[in-house]
Amino acid sequence: MTTLLGLVVFYLLGTLAIGLYAATRVKTTTDFALAGRSLPLVMIVTTTFATWFGSETVLGISAKFAKGGLNNVIEDPFGASMCLVFVGIFFAARLYKMNVLTIGDFFRKRYGKVVEIFCSAAIILSYLGWVAAQITALGLVFNMVSHGSVSVEMGMVIGTLSVLVYVIFGGMLAVAWTDFIQMIVLVIGLTVIAIMASNMAGGADKVYALASSRELFKVLPEPSFKDIMFFFAAAITMMLGSIPQQDIFQRVMAAKDAKTASRGAIIGGLSYLLFAFVPMFIVLCAIIIMPEATKEMLDGGDVTSQRILPTLILTHMPFWAQVVFFGALLSAIKSCASATLLAPSTSFVENIYKHFFPKMTDRQELLAFRVTLFIFTCCVLAYAMLTRGTPIYEMVSGAYQVTLVGAFLPLVCGLYWKRATRQGAIASIVLGIITWLIFMLTDLGKDFPSQLAGVVMAAIGMVAGSLLTKPHPHHAHPVGHPEATPHQPAPRPPNRQTHRHAD
């Protein structure tokens, strides 16, 4: 074992210990899924920031930026960061006051069980690509720090186990605690590396001059209908498609109150946007420091170009800087992977499994969460190995098209349009997903973006389906409206016991 690999393992064990200590405080499903709804602002900021700052930010975005500039990364970080800002402004307070455990609970209360199950299934499936991207990155890190002695596949297994253990015991509370520590390591580590890389490249002015000469600051697309449509579709994929996601919901709803939930999401989103430029800056430094090696990796495709930053660190920086960088990289990946493993498992138990076993006690539900989490992790690990070779950025961006076309419109209309009905939501889901699949699987998607076509048809389905049907009296007002929910439970019950009213 190399010294660097040994230190990486030591760091993993340290975060594991923190997560397991947090697990000793988990007593109920609310503790497990929402950290007891007790987190202060600083922890909501760090955990929402960690929502996005994962492998694709450090490895994927930086490589895409070096190839095509800001126009090439409009989806992430721009769209991703604005997602958190929008959640904080328009969604966090309303959803927090509803006192629900999952985003699927909202769909059940607003539209009924059918919509709950369909939307929850779409949300769960969307996590395959996202979590697989983090697992793939973990394998890459172990392979590089061991100089090839640990295979990528074995690295995936080791990394996945290091995350799974503390999440399966500590749930969202362990995620929040480890996120807090890992984001401190991440920010300090990447800042130090950026300063060192800038000095090695001759100063920030030379880096800026390089970016300007290559027109990397260009954001807007060419003025053609096709280019504009694909640009717009890329922007909204994560900006809107990530809003109805369970991992974001859990991290925001874990706040101690509604105001903290809103502010934390907004600050976390803006912080992510600003700090996402740090890996991009380091990659530009790498182009100056090792021009031939960087050009070769960029020409080798998206998968190969993801190795630019690790290669720079391993070949041109001192040992202590290598420790700092890989500690920061692991922090980013682990913090992102932890909640994205927890989220789909929580949604499955709460919004699908409980329909078959509605009389579970809180303790039985907590056990179901943990068993499901283990099974889902095994499935994602297998999926990551099968899709190895797919660029990390593409795995992440493709994951959120499902929820964009299948869950975003029902969520927005359910909160803000009192005329929205169950039939409208079903029509929106069916038309959105079918249209998206047709465009994605045929040549139609080459001329018009499949996710944008899906969103348009989802909107048509929601409006037409709602206006052509009569709203049920129970759903005549948005959830959270005083006339719709006159007897909401207290916002922070000591021990949540789930019950379901008749549809």
Side-chain angles (χ1 to χ4, degrees):
M1 178 186 290
T2 65
T3 305
L4 180 58
L5 179 59
L7 289 173
V8 166
V9 172
F10 179 77
Y11 175 73
L12 291 179
L13 292 175
T15 57
L16 179 62
I18 294 171
L20 290 177
Y21 176 73
T24 62
R25 296 172 175 254
V26 174
K27 307 299 181 184
T28 69
T29 53
T30 303
D31 293 336
F32 188 83
L34 298 178
R37 305 189 85 184
S38 61
L39 300 183
L41 178 61
V42 64
M43 294 191 76
I44 294 299
V45 170
T46 55
T47 198
T48 51
F49 177 89
T51 303
W52 295 130
F53 214 105
S55 60
E56 76 291 343
T57 310
V58 181
L59 304 177
I61 291 176
S62 56
K64 295 278 285 187
F65 170 72
K67 279 190 170 185
L70 294 179
N71 178 266
N72 216 26
V73 294
I74 191 66
E75 192 168 324
D76 188 7
F78 293 101
S81 61
M82 287 303 101
C83 164
L84 290 177
V85 173
F86 290 161
V87 166
I89 296 174
F90 300 109
F91 298 91
R94 284 177 174 249
L95 290 172
Y96 189 93
K97 292 173 183 177
M98 289 170 54
N99 190 42
V100 291
L101 195 67
T102 68
I103 197 74
D105 288 347
F106 163 81
F107 290 118
R108 183 186 70 251
K109 287 190 173 187
R110 184 65 174 88
Y111 301 114
K113 292 181 182 179
V114 174
V115 177
E116 172 196 10
I117 293 173
F118 270 100
C119 286
S120 297
I123 290 169
I124 292 168
L125 288 174
S126 72
Y127 280 102
L128 279 175
W130 175 263
V131 187
Q134 311 312 314
I135 291 176
T136 299
L138 285 170
L140 177 62
V141 169
F142 275 99
N143 178 257
M144 296 196 73
V145 299
S146 68
H147 301 292
S149 61
V150 176
S151 67
V152 174
E153 290 81 3
M154 182 56 66
M156 289 181 181
V157 174
I158 296 171
T160 301
L161 287 175
S162 71
V163 177
L164 174 63
V165 172
Y166 72 77
V167 177
I168 205 169
F169 290 105
M172 189 62 212
L173 194 61
V175 170
W177 283 27
T178 52
D179 277 355
F180 181 73
I181 301 298
Q182 289 171 162
M183 288 305 98
I184 293 174
V185 173
L186 170 69
V187 170
I188 295 175
L190 285 185
T191 300
V192 170
I193 295 298
I195 294 172
M196 293 183 63
S198 177
N199 292 334
M200 294 173 67
D205 55 335
K206 289 190 176 181
V207 179
Y208 179 83
L210 173 67
S212 298
S213 66
R214 298 192 176 195
E215 298 185 339
L216 296 181
F217 294 133
K218 181 181 178 182
V219 178
L220 298 178
E222 296 299 322
S224 68
F225 176 79
K226 181 178 179 179
D227 288 336
I228 292 173
M229 288 299 100
F230 274 92
F231 176 85
F232 181 72
I236 67 171
T237 296
M238 294 183 73
M239 185 188 300
L240 305 182
S242 301
I243 289 176
Q245 284 288 1
Q246 177 64 17
D247 61 316
I248 293 178
F249 174 87
Q250 282 180 275
R251 288 178 168 186
V252 173
M253 295 305 113
K256 64 180 182 179
D257 53 50
K259 184 181 290 187
T260 301
S262 296
R263 290 179 178 178
I266 295 170
I267 298 172
L270 294 176
S271 300
Y272 171 69
L273 178 61
L274 291 174
F275 205 73
F277 282 93
V278 175
M280 299 187 215
F281 177 82
I282 299 174
V283 161
L284 292 181
C285 294
I287 294 176
I288 298 174
I289 297 169
M290 47 179 205
E292 294 183 3
T294 305
K295 183 179 184 302
E296 183 178 344
M297 282 183 277
L298 287 173
D299 292 340
D302 290 341
V303 175
T304 305
S305 61
Q306 293 169 174
R307 292 177 173 263
I308 293 176
L309 282 189
T311 300
L312 170 68
I313 305 303
L314 288 172
T315 59
H316 288 76
M317 292 200 174
F319 177 75
W320 68 265
Q322 296 175 23
V323 175
V324 169
F325 173 79
F326 284 104
L329 179 56
L330 280 173
S331 294
I333 299 170
K334 283 167 62 65
S335 62
C336 194
S338 57
T340 47
L341 281 175
L342 177 65
S345 307
T346 308
S347 290
F348 175 79
V349 173
E350 176 71 8
N351 303 116
I352 297 178
Y353 184 75
K354 285 181 71 172
H355 287 296
F356 298 96
F357 300 95
K359 296 183 179 180
M360 283 193 298
T361 65
D362 194 76
R363 187 170 183 175
Q364 289 172 330
E365 186 177 354
L366 190 57
L367 176 62
F369 281 149
R370 287 169 168 155
V371 172
T372 304
L373 177 61
F374 176 79
I375 295 173
F376 180 78
T377 302
C378 292
C379 293
V380 172
L381 178 59
Y383 180 77
M385 291 184 176
L386 289 173
T387 56
R388 187 187 162 198
T390 303
I392 292 173
Y393 190 92
E394 303 303 326
M395 293 174 74
V396 170
S397 62
Y400 291 103
Q401 294 186 20
V402 182
T403 45
L404 174 66
V405 302
F408 174 69
L409 265 300
L411 174 62
V412 174
C413 293
L415 283 172
Y416 286 98
W417 188 33
K418 68 180 181 180
R419 188 64 178 80
T421 67
R422 179 184 308 175
Q423 292 81 358
I426 294 173
S428 176
I429 297 167
V430 173
L431 285 177
I433 291 180
I434 289 178
T435 303
W436 169 65
L437 288 172
I438 291 173
F439 274 71
M440 185 176 62
L441 299 175
T442 66
D443 290 339
L444 292 172
K446 296 179 180 178
D447 298 315
F448 192 84
S450 56
Q451 68 267 45
L452 185 55
V455 170
V456 171
M457 292 306 297
I460 293 173
M462 173 58 78
V463 173
S466 296
L467 294 180
L468 292 175
T469 56
K470 183 178 180 181
H472 190 282
H474 179 71
H475 301 130
H477 296 278
V479 175
H481 188 287
E483 295 178 44
T485 54
H487 302 294
Q488 284 294 316
R492 288 176 61 189
N495 188 356
R496 178 184 176 276
Q497 293 292 335
T498 303
H499 64 89
R500 296 173 183 264
H501 57 266
D503 279 311

